[in-house]
Amino acid sequence: MIDLKVEETALLAPLDADRMLERTLRWSAINSGTGNLAGLGQMAEELSAAFAQLPGEVTLEAPAPVTAIGADGEEKPLDHGRHLVLKVRPDAERRILLTGHMDTVFPADHPFQATNRLDEDTLKGPGTADMKGGIAVICEALMALERSPAAASLGYDVMINADEETGSLSSAPLIARLAEGKHAALTYEPAARPDGTLAHARGGSGNYSVVARGRSAHAGRNPEEGRNALVALADLAVRLKAMHHEELYVNPARIEGGAANNVVPDHAVLRFNIRPKTIAAGDTFENALATLLDQVAREHEVSLNLHGGISRPPKPVDSRAQRLFDLVRDTEARLGRDLSWQPSGGVCDGNNIAACGVPVVDTMGVRGGAIHSPDEYLIVPSLLERAALSTLVLHRLATGALR
Ligand SMILES: [Zn+2]
């Protein structure tokens, strides 16, 4: 049963489902794979125009410098798009952070580019759920909030980054800066399940490259003078896998390098990912990794250089964050719908925000499914459902409901 006060019903009146759908269609038609800087530039322009309808100032922030290790072992700069920031009432006593991302996992040459209405309720298309629909929800909910007198007591920053899908490496410092001093945060990743279930606690994630440099030699004439970089990394990969346990998954993913069959290879690169479930498990791993690298380097007489680290710290849900979850669930109940949550193995900007000590619910976006696949879809009515939920949650945050 819907159980809203008169003022809350009035608050929801301006929400416009057609406008949200039109924006989602328009934005999903622009390819904005994380590496497509031109597409990201076009998205940033579109989003700047949409968010300019709110009070405050929209800026596009330069990406922080990021490097990556190439297959040749050399460190190279990695380019990213600019990140959108809107600051509204920065002097308000109670301030919150809303975040989303404009990039998708689909590069410009991926076959999945077009949106397609499968039926009345289902829109298939790249980024429809993850998360251009979610960005439309942010904008719509804030516009509705701004029509309420309660808005005057809430300050907020909106951040829409351009690199979330590859780990937010160039926006992480910006996220940390914006999270500082915030009362709460809402992130608009799609719901964890098509029924609207929220993601609760999350594990973390770290990505690493290890560059091995040995000494090349002829495989037949003087192999004893060679120091095999590839074998050193194969050994390291096996030992890393042995560090896998219940609280920390380790996935050696790829070895690049090597040489012709008659050459002892003098360089190679190993890539691996870890998924720590707790902050302690991540710390313990990083300490053990330093020792392991020393050992392997010594035993194989190669040099090993480590690049990367834990870019998404694990996100436990503490009591303050739980109160924000309760507030979201109670608000959804007032709209006549049940809402539950479950832990997630995935990571997102909610991990980075939680690491700053700010309570966050990070799946406030639309309902949909099959994200990161060519079957990604948005459940169209969820645009309005989630905009109503967000508008009421923002209104309750503005009126001091979260203590
Ligand atoms: Zn996403």
Side-chain angles (χ1 to χ4, degrees), residues 101 130-131 164-165 189-190 371-372:
H101 61 82
D130 184 16
M131 59 166 12
E164 194 277 342
E165 294 293 5
E189 290 294 339
I371 62 168
H372 296 195

Side-chain angles (χ1 to χ4, degrees), residues 128-199:
T128 50
D130 184 16
M131 59 166 12
K132 290 166 179 178
I135 301 174
V137 168
I138 301 178
C139 206
E140 198 69 19
L142 287 172
M143 298 235 298
L145 176 78
E146 288 297 338
R147 292 167 72 133
S148 155
S153 51
L154 188 72
Y156 55 85
D157 294 344
V158 178
M159 191 243 16
I160 311 289
N161 55 0
D163 67 343
E164 194 277 342
E165 294 293 5
T166 52
S168 301
L169 299 175
S170 81
S171 56
L174 177 65
I175 295 171
R177 216 156 56 232
L178 294 175
E180 201 187 314
K182 293 298 193 295
H183 181 59
L186 303 170
T187 293
Y188 285 76
E189 290 294 339
R193 291 161 55 98
D195 67 2
T197 301
L198 302 172

